[in-house]
Amino acid sequence: MLVIPTAPWAHSLFDILAWASSALTGATLHRWRLKDAAERLARSTGPGYFAALAVGALVGAWAMGSTNSLRMVAPVLSHSVAGALAGAIVAVEVYKRAIGLTGSTGTPFVGPLAIGIVVGRWGCLFAGLPDQTYGVPTSLPWAVDLGDGIGRHPVQVYESLAMLVFLLVYVTALRRRRSWAFRRSFYVLSGWYGAQRFAWEFLKPYPRLIGPLNIFHLLCLGLVVYGCVFYRADLRRERAAARSRTLSVLRRDDEPV
Protein backbone atom coordinates (compact mmCIF):
# COMPACT_ATOMS: atom_id res chain seq x y z
CA MET A 1 0.00 0.00 0.00
CA LEU A 2 1.29 3.46 -0.95
CA VAL A 3 0.93 6.21 1.63
CA ILE A 4 -0.01 9.45 -0.14
CA PRO A 5 0.70 12.81 1.51
CA THR A 6 -2.48 14.85 1.27
CA ALA A 7 -3.50 18.46 1.80
CA PRO A 8 -6.70 20.29 0.79
CA TRP A 9 -4.72 23.05 -0.95
CA ALA A 10 -3.24 20.49 -3.36
CA HIS A 11 -6.46 20.61 -5.37
CA SER A 12 -6.08 24.34 -6.03
CA LEU A 13 -2.41 23.91 -6.89
CA PHE A 14 -3.13 21.25 -9.49
CA ASP A 15 -6.08 23.24 -10.82
CA ILE A 16 -3.62 26.04 -11.59
CA LEU A 17 -1.21 23.57 -13.18
CA ALA A 18 -4.06 22.06 -15.20
CA TRP A 19 -5.15 25.45 -16.55
CA ALA A 20 -1.55 26.36 -17.38
CA SER A 21 -1.01 23.02 -19.13
CA SER A 22 -4.24 23.45 -21.07
CA ALA A 23 -3.24 26.92 -22.26
CA LEU A 24 0.23 25.75 -23.29
CA THR A 25 -1.15 22.69 -25.09
CA GLY A 26 -3.79 24.73 -26.88
CA ALA A 27 -1.24 27.28 -28.07
CA THR A 28 1.20 24.57 -29.20
CA LEU A 29 -1.41 22.59 -31.14
CA HIS A 30 -2.75 25.80 -32.68
CA ARG A 31 0.64 26.70 -34.11
CA TRP A 32 1.46 23.11 -35.11
CA ARG A 33 -1.70 21.77 -36.70
CA LEU A 34 -4.93 23.46 -35.65
CA LYS A 35 -4.71 27.05 -36.86
CA ASP A 36 -7.24 26.38 -39.63
CA ALA A 37 -9.66 24.69 -37.20
CA ALA A 38 -9.48 27.64 -34.82
CA GLU A 39 -10.04 30.11 -37.66
CA ARG A 40 -13.08 28.14 -38.88
CA LEU A 41 -14.48 28.22 -35.36
CA ALA A 42 -14.00 31.99 -35.16
CA ARG A 43 -15.63 32.54 -38.58
CA SER A 44 -18.63 30.30 -38.05
CA THR A 45 -19.57 31.27 -34.48
CA GLY A 46 -20.12 34.48 -32.60
CA PRO A 47 -19.67 35.56 -28.99
CA GLY A 48 -22.85 33.69 -28.13
CA TYR A 49 -21.05 30.40 -28.74
CA PHE A 50 -18.47 31.02 -26.04
CA ALA A 51 -21.08 32.43 -23.66
CA ALA A 52 -23.17 29.28 -24.10
CA LEU A 53 -20.11 27.11 -23.59
CA ALA A 54 -19.09 28.90 -20.37
CA VAL A 55 -22.57 29.00 -18.85
CA GLY A 56 -23.28 25.39 -19.78
CA ALA A 57 -19.99 24.21 -18.29
CA LEU A 58 -20.52 26.09 -15.02
CA VAL A 59 -24.11 24.97 -14.58
CA GLY A 60 -23.31 21.39 -15.50
CA ALA A 61 -20.26 21.21 -13.26
CA TRP A 62 -22.00 22.39 -10.10
CA ALA A 63 -25.37 20.77 -10.80
CA MET A 64 -23.99 17.28 -11.41
CA GLY A 65 -21.27 17.48 -8.76
CA SER A 66 -23.61 18.72 -6.06
CA THR A 67 -26.43 16.34 -7.00
CA ASN A 68 -24.02 13.51 -6.25
CA SER A 69 -22.15 14.91 -3.23
CA LEU A 70 -25.27 16.13 -1.41
CA ARG A 71 -26.43 12.50 -1.25
CA MET A 72 -23.22 11.30 0.40
CA VAL A 73 -22.55 10.72 4.12
CA ALA A 74 -20.97 14.19 4.46
CA PRO A 75 -23.12 16.38 2.15
CA VAL A 76 -21.30 19.28 0.50
CA LEU A 77 -21.59 21.36 -2.62
CA SER A 78 -19.11 20.28 -5.28
CA HIS A 79 -18.34 20.47 -8.98
CA SER A 80 -17.52 17.82 -11.57
CA VAL A 81 -15.50 17.85 -14.79
CA ALA A 82 -17.91 15.30 -16.26
CA GLY A 83 -20.79 17.63 -15.48
CA ALA A 84 -18.90 20.56 -16.99
CA LEU A 85 -18.28 18.62 -20.20
CA ALA A 86 -21.90 17.49 -20.47
CA GLY A 87 -23.28 20.94 -19.67
CA ALA A 88 -21.03 22.60 -22.24
CA ILE A 89 -22.05 20.07 -24.89
CA VAL A 90 -25.77 20.61 -24.30
CA ALA A 91 -25.48 24.40 -24.31
CA VAL A 92 -23.29 24.53 -27.42
CA GLU A 93 -25.42 22.07 -29.39
CA VAL A 94 -28.54 24.09 -28.56
CA TYR A 95 -26.76 27.27 -29.68
CA LYS A 96 -25.56 25.63 -32.90
CA ARG A 97 -29.04 24.40 -33.67
CA ALA A 98 -30.41 27.91 -33.11
CA ILE A 99 -28.01 29.48 -35.64
CA GLY A 100 -28.20 26.58 -38.11
CA LEU A 101 -24.62 25.39 -37.66
CA THR A 102 -23.75 21.71 -38.20
CA GLY A 103 -20.58 19.71 -37.71
CA SER A 104 -18.07 19.67 -34.90
CA THR A 105 -16.68 22.92 -33.54
CA GLY A 106 -14.81 21.37 -30.62
CA THR A 107 -11.49 20.42 -32.22
CA PRO A 108 -9.49 23.34 -30.72
CA PHE A 109 -10.61 22.30 -27.22
CA VAL A 110 -9.70 18.61 -27.43
CA GLY A 111 -6.02 18.77 -26.50
CA PRO A 112 -6.43 21.39 -23.75
CA LEU A 113 -9.32 19.48 -22.16
CA ALA A 114 -7.49 16.16 -22.25
CA ILE A 115 -4.29 17.49 -20.68
CA GLY A 116 -6.34 19.43 -18.13
CA ILE A 117 -7.90 16.19 -16.92
CA VAL A 118 -4.55 14.38 -16.98
CA VAL A 119 -3.01 16.98 -14.66
CA GLY A 120 -6.06 17.95 -12.63
CA ARG A 121 -6.89 14.44 -11.45
CA TRP A 122 -3.63 14.33 -9.50
CA GLY A 123 -4.94 17.27 -7.51
CA CYS A 124 -7.98 15.19 -6.60
CA LEU A 125 -5.65 12.44 -5.38
CA PHE A 126 -3.40 14.67 -3.27
CA ALA A 127 -6.39 16.57 -1.84
CA GLY A 128 -7.21 13.34 0.00
CA LEU A 129 -10.45 12.16 1.55
CA PRO A 130 -12.15 15.59 1.87
CA ASP A 131 -12.20 15.81 -1.93
CA GLN A 132 -14.63 12.85 -1.99
CA THR A 133 -13.19 11.47 -5.22
CA TYR A 134 -11.44 8.48 -3.60
CA GLY A 135 -11.92 4.86 -4.55
CA VAL A 136 -13.34 1.89 -2.69
CA PRO A 137 -11.06 -0.27 -0.51
CA THR A 138 -8.81 -2.79 -2.24
CA SER A 139 -5.90 -5.08 -1.35
CA LEU A 140 -4.10 -4.55 -4.67
CA PRO A 141 -0.38 -3.71 -4.42
CA TRP A 142 -0.92 -0.21 -5.79
CA ALA A 143 -3.66 0.68 -3.29
CA VAL A 144 -3.26 4.16 -1.80
CA ASP A 145 -3.64 5.25 1.82
CA LEU A 146 -5.10 8.76 1.87
CA GLY A 147 -4.71 9.20 5.61
CA ASP A 148 -7.17 6.77 7.18
CA GLY A 149 -5.02 3.65 6.97
CA ILE A 150 -7.32 2.05 4.36
CA GLY A 151 -5.95 0.94 0.99
CA ARG A 152 -8.11 2.30 -1.82
CA HIS A 153 -8.22 2.19 -5.62
CA PRO A 154 -6.39 5.27 -6.96
CA VAL A 155 -9.26 6.04 -9.31
CA GLN A 156 -7.89 9.52 -9.93
CA VAL A 157 -4.70 8.00 -11.34
CA TYR A 158 -6.69 5.53 -13.45
CA GLU A 159 -8.57 8.40 -15.08
CA SER A 160 -5.42 10.49 -15.56
CA LEU A 161 -3.62 7.63 -17.31
CA ALA A 162 -6.64 6.78 -19.46
CA MET A 163 -6.82 10.36 -20.71
CA LEU A 164 -3.06 10.41 -21.27
CA VAL A 165 -3.48 7.40 -23.57
CA PHE A 166 -6.16 9.30 -25.49
CA LEU A 167 -3.94 12.38 -25.75
CA LEU A 168 -1.02 10.36 -27.15
CA VAL A 169 -3.29 8.71 -29.74
CA TYR A 170 -4.78 12.09 -30.65
CA VAL A 171 -1.42 13.83 -31.11
CA THR A 172 -0.18 10.90 -33.21
CA ALA A 173 -3.29 11.17 -35.40
CA LEU A 174 -2.70 14.90 -35.83
CA ARG A 175 0.90 14.25 -36.84
CA ARG A 176 -0.29 11.71 -39.42
CA ARG A 177 -3.08 14.08 -40.51
CA ARG A 178 -5.89 11.62 -39.88
CA SER A 179 -9.25 13.05 -40.86
CA TRP A 180 -10.96 12.20 -37.57
CA ALA A 181 -8.38 14.14 -35.57
CA PHE A 182 -9.21 17.36 -37.45
CA ARG A 183 -12.95 16.91 -37.95
CA ARG A 184 -14.37 14.63 -35.25
CA SER A 185 -11.86 14.47 -32.41
CA PHE A 186 -14.21 16.14 -29.93
CA TYR A 187 -16.74 13.37 -30.47
CA VAL A 188 -13.99 10.79 -29.93
CA LEU A 189 -12.91 12.60 -26.77
CA SER A 190 -16.48 12.62 -25.44
CA GLY A 191 -16.95 8.92 -26.14
CA TRP A 192 -13.57 7.91 -24.70
CA TYR A 193 -13.96 10.06 -21.60
CA GLY A 194 -17.45 8.68 -20.99
CA ALA A 195 -16.37 5.07 -21.48
CA GLN A 196 -13.31 5.13 -19.23
CA ARG A 197 -15.09 7.19 -16.54
CA PHE A 198 -18.03 4.77 -16.63
CA ALA A 199 -15.65 1.93 -15.74
CA TRP A 200 -13.98 3.77 -12.83
CA GLU A 201 -17.33 4.74 -11.32
CA PHE A 202 -17.78 1.13 -10.18
CA LEU A 203 -14.71 1.67 -7.99
CA LYS A 204 -16.12 4.71 -6.16
CA PRO A 205 -18.36 4.73 -3.06
CA TYR A 206 -20.89 7.10 -4.60
CA PRO A 207 -24.64 6.75 -3.84
CA ARG A 208 -26.35 4.41 -6.27
CA LEU A 209 -29.20 5.74 -8.36
CA ILE A 210 -30.40 2.81 -10.48
CA GLY A 211 -29.21 -0.66 -9.46
CA PRO A 212 -25.39 -0.57 -9.35
CA LEU A 213 -25.26 2.69 -11.28
CA ASN A 214 -24.67 6.14 -9.81
CA ILE A 215 -25.52 9.46 -11.43
CA PHE A 216 -22.15 9.66 -13.19
CA HIS A 217 -22.68 6.25 -14.79
CA LEU A 218 -25.77 7.64 -16.48
CA LEU A 219 -24.02 10.87 -17.42
CA CYS A 220 -21.11 8.95 -18.95
CA LEU A 221 -23.44 6.72 -20.94
CA GLY A 222 -24.91 9.92 -22.37
CA LEU A 223 -21.44 11.11 -23.36
CA VAL A 224 -20.71 7.81 -25.10
CA VAL A 225 -23.99 7.93 -27.00
CA TYR A 226 -23.39 11.57 -27.95
CA GLY A 227 -19.89 10.81 -29.22
CA CYS A 228 -21.00 7.82 -31.30
CA VAL A 229 -24.14 9.40 -32.80
CA PHE A 230 -22.52 12.71 -33.73
CA TYR A 231 -19.36 11.01 -35.02
CA ARG A 232 -21.42 8.88 -37.42
CA ALA A 233 -23.51 11.87 -38.52
CA ASP A 234 -20.42 13.94 -39.30
CA LEU A 235 -18.80 11.02 -41.13
CA ARG A 236 -21.90 10.72 -43.32
CA ARG A 237 -21.71 14.45 -44.10
CA GLU A 238 -18.05 14.14 -45.02
CA ARG A 239 -18.70 11.21 -47.36
CA ALA A 240 -21.69 12.96 -48.94
CA ALA A 241 -19.57 16.05 -49.57
CA ALA A 242 -16.86 13.90 -51.13
CA ARG A 243 -19.38 12.26 -53.47
CA SER A 244 -20.77 15.63 -54.51
CA ARG A 245 -17.27 16.72 -55.56
CA THR A 246 -16.81 13.63 -57.75
CA LEU A 247 -17.19 14.33 -61.49
CA SER A 248 -19.28 11.92 -63.56
CA VAL A 249 -17.50 10.86 -66.75
CA LEU A 250 -19.70 9.33 -69.44
CA ARG A 251 -16.97 7.08 -70.91
CA ARG A 252 -15.39 3.76 -70.17
CA ASP A 253 -12.82 3.95 -67.37
CA ASP A 254 -10.08 2.69 -69.68
CA GLU A 255 -10.65 5.41 -72.29
CA PRO A 256 -8.75 8.69 -72.10
CA VAL A 257 -10.70 11.72 -70.97
Side-chain angles (χ1 to χ4, degrees), residues 9-158:
W9 52 262
H11 203 298
S12 297
L13 172 62
F14 276 87
D15 279 348
I16 294 172
L17 292 175
W19 281 104
S21 299
S22 294
L24 179 61
T25 299
T28 301
L29 293 180
H30 174 82
R31 290 193 301 267
W32 180 49
R33 283 288 190 270
L34 299 181
K35 184 177 180 180
D36 289 344
E39 290 177 350
R40 284 197 302 272
L41 173 64
R43 288 195 304 268
S44 60
T45 63
Y49 175 92
F50 297 97
L53 188 155
V55 171
L58 285 172
V59 172
W62 285 98
M64 296 305 300
S66 298
T67 298
N68 180 68
S69 60
L70 289 175
R71 300 177 64 238
M72 298 184 71
V73 176
V76 293
L77 293 174
S78 66
H79 57 279
S80 161
V81 66
L85 177 59
I89 287 172
V90 171
V92 165
E93 291 299 339
V94 169
Y95 175 82
K96 287 164 58 179
R97 178 64 64 89
I99 66 172
L101 181 62
T102 59
S104 177
T105 55
T107 299
F109 307 111
V110 171
L113 180 56
I115 193 64
I117 296 172
V118 169
V119 175
R121 277 311 185 198
W122 288 90
C124 298
L125 175 70
F126 289 115
L129 296 174
D131 195 63
Q132 295 194 355
T133 55
Y134 50 83
V136 296
T138 180
S139 58
L140 291 170
W142 56 84
V144 293
D145 174 6
L146 299 178
D148 60 355
I150 299 175
R152 302 178 183 277
H153 279 284
V155 288
Q156 307 93 332
V157 179
Y158 297 164

Side-chain angles (χ1 to χ4, degrees), residues 153-173:
H153 279 284
V155 288
Q156 307 93 332
V157 179
Y158 297 164
E159 185 170 333
S160 177
L161 295 179
M163 293 308 295
L164 179 60
V165 169
F166 167 83
L167 185 60
L168 294 175
V169 172
Y170 172 61
V171 171
T172 301

